[in-house]
């Protein structure tokens, strides 16, 4: 499987969200290909990135009054739990737990971008569109 950012498949034309998703894919690929000695650091970097990104998306959901955001948040929580679980396994000496998760996460993120994140990007776009360009003050 090619773990690369694919504009036609992954881009949501959502600026900062797309930027963060490119970082997600880079970190996932790095974890999936990590040597035993590098697995803990690669996993930690992906975990921190996901925690930050998921918090940012929560703020965007709140700001755009996104419907059904609980499902999106549940998916984030499930991914977070997988990362914590793999970190525990690595700490217990189970080499390869990070690489295995990295491979699984690529498919999972691919689906997450195309569903929950795509819906969020649309809500954000709709909110910006509803706000309009604004009318300049006169006088
Ligand atoms: Fe995302
Ligand atoms: Fe998301």
């Amino acid at each position: 499987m090619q773990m690369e950012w694919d504009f036609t498949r992954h881009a949501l034309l959502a600026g900062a969200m797309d930027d963060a998703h490119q970082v997600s894919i880079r970190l996932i690929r790095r974890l999936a290909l990590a040597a035993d000695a590098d697995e803990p650091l690669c996993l930690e970097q992906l975990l921190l990135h996901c925690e930050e990104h998921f918090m940012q998306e929560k703020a965007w959901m709140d700001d755009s009054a996104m419907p059904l955001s609980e499902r999106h948040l549940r998916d984030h929580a499930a991914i977070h739990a997988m990362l914590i679980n793999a970190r525990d396994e690595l700490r217990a000496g189970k080499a390869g737990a990070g690489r295995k998760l990295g491979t699984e996460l690529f498919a999972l993120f691919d689906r997450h971008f195309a569903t929950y994140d795509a819906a969020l990007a649309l809500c954000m776009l709709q909110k910006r569109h509803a706000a309009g360009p604004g009318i300049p003050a006169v006088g």
Side-chain angles (χ1 to χ4, degrees):
M1 182 194 303
Q2 268 223 318
M3 281 186 270
E4 301 284 344
W5 168 263
D6 177 350
F7 180 85
T8 58
R9 182 161 179 82
H10 299 133
L12 302 173
L13 305 181
M17 195 195 293
D18 283 341
D19 293 345
H21 290 168
Q22 290 187 55
V23 175
S24 307
I25 289 191
R26 212 175 307 136
L27 292 175
I28 285 170
R29 187 180 59 232
R30 203 181 291 168
L31 175 61
L33 300 175
D36 285 359
D38 300 327
E39 266 186 299
L41 179 61
C42 290
L43 181 60
E44 202 60 36
Q45 287 174 334
L46 179 59
L47 177 62
L48 288 174
H49 163 76
C50 285
E51 287 177 346
E52 194 179 310
H53 178 57
F54 293 167
M55 257 183 349
Q56 174 64 77
E57 285 196 358
K58 168 80 170 78
W60 285 333
M61 284 175 218
D62 293 345
D63 191 49
S64 59
M66 185 183 168
L68 302 175
S69 58
E70 326 79 52
R71 292 185 195 175
H72 190 159
L73 294 172
R74 265 207 300 275
D75 214 44
H76 285 177
I79 292 167
H80 189 257
M82 290 168 79
L83 286 159
I84 295 291
N85 186 50
R87 185 173 69 176
D88 290 346
E89 288 183 337
L90 282 181
R91 285 178 177 172
K94 195 174 168 191
R99 283 191 297 274
K100 181 172 175 287
L101 178 63
T103 306
E104 289 168 6
L105 281 182
F106 183 76
L108 223 152
F109 271 62
D110 185 80
R111 178 186 56 78
H112 186 94
F113 293 165
T115 53
Y116 296 113
D117 287 348
L120 175 58
L122 270 176
C123 281
M124 292 162 68
L125 188 68
Q126 191 177 34
K127 190 190 174 217
R128 269 203 307 276
H129 183 70
I135 300 170
V138 178

